[in-house]
Amino acid sequence: MGRYRPPEPEKTAIITAAGFSRLQQELNYLWKEKRPEVTSRVAAAAALGDRSENADYIYGKRQLAEIDHRIRYLDKRIRTMQVVDRLPSDDNTVYFGAWVTLKSANGNQYSRYRLVGPDEIDDKPEYISIDSPMAKVLLGKTRGDEIAILQTDTSTKVLSFEKTTEPTRYWIDNIRYEAD
């Protein structure tokens, strides 16, 4: 058996204005603060002599490689991003950037989610990627529409702990568009 893994599907290159600002701040921090700090630490460790047994030098080089990798990723990603900073013309339909409140079928559980770009989902637990199966179900729906979500063993968002092959049904209770 080989070690081949198929490439990951391309992420959607859209982002909210707040998410774009956060990515730019991270890139500036890594490039202007973190990288020079690590570089000076590596240079100081290299000046001590034997590099093969110098833990500061070895760790610093690894950390520098990780920082450079993240900088390249952010730089490439930011260049291809499309910032969505306008409200949709129809605010009764779920589009990118919407806050969606779901009501469970029995009516006693409410869940609130926001559809954001794949680079923003680490910000808050209620953010879901526009590429996720749940977001794909929600897109284009309006208030009062019923959606069915089948939770599998590979689901990363736990909606319920019940093991079932039946989809969980929700109704869209509210749709709002607002800035962070």
Side-chain angles (χ1 to χ4, degrees):
M1 184 166 145
R3 295 182 65 181
Y4 173 76
R5 281 183 254 152
E8 289 186 20
E10 282 291 317
K11 295 179 182 178
T12 305
I14 56 176
I15 193 167
T16 62
F20 187 76
S21 173
R22 187 183 63 80
L23 288 183
Q24 283 185 319
Q25 287 172 357
E26 181 184 358
L27 178 63
N28 286 337
Y29 167 75
L30 289 174
W31 187 248
K32 295 186 175 165
E33 293 178 34
K34 187 71 172 174
R35 191 174 193 289
E37 172 192 319
V38 173
T39 303
S40 65
R41 252 193 356 249
V42 169
L48 295 175
D50 187 11
R51 296 177 186 173
S52 63
E53 295 180 11
N54 190 336
D56 286 340
Y57 177 79
I58 294 169
Y59 175 70
K61 290 293 279 187
R62 272 196 202 131
Q63 192 176 18
L64 202 54
E66 290 170 6
I67 290 170
D68 287 344
H69 182 274
R70 183 68 179 166
I71 286 172
R72 279 192 305 275
Y73 173 78
L74 288 173
D75 188 43
K76 181 180 174 186
R77 195 76 179 134
I78 285 173
R79 287 184 204 184
T80 61
M81 289 280 179
Q82 178 182 353
V83 179
V84 177
D85 54 359
R86 297 185 321 260
L87 295 177
S89 56
D90 180 12
D91 62 356
N92 292 319
T93 304
V94 178
Y95 295 112
F96 179 81
W99 282 98
V100 181
T101 305
L102 301 176
K103 181 171 63 171
S104 62
N106 57 12
N108 64 1
Q109 179 185 0
Y110 288 87
S111 303
R112 187 171 179 243
Y113 301 103
R114 184 175 189 199
L115 279 63
V116 295
D119 296 295
E120 300 178 84
I121 59 173
D122 295 335
D123 286 351
K124 297 181 182 168
E126 61 267 10
Y127 283 8
I128 59 172
S129 170
I130 196 79
D131 295 334
S132 71
M134 186 173 178
K136 289 178 181 177
V137 169
L138 288 170
L139 282 173
K141 300 285 195 254
T142 58
R143 186 169 189 227
D145 285 354
E146 180 182 6
I147 61 166
I149 300 170
L150 181 61
Q151 185 172 331
T152 63
D153 290 336
T154 59
S155 295
T156 56
K157 187 79 146 174
V158 177
L159 298 173
S160 74
F161 289 101
E162 300 172 11
K163 290 277 187 184
T164 180
T165 56
E166 292 294 317
T168 308
R169 301 204 176 280
Y170 293 92
W171 281 271
I172 297 177
D173 188 57
N174 191 11
I175 302 169
R176 285 192 5 242
Y177 291 91
E178 59 188 50
D180 283 333

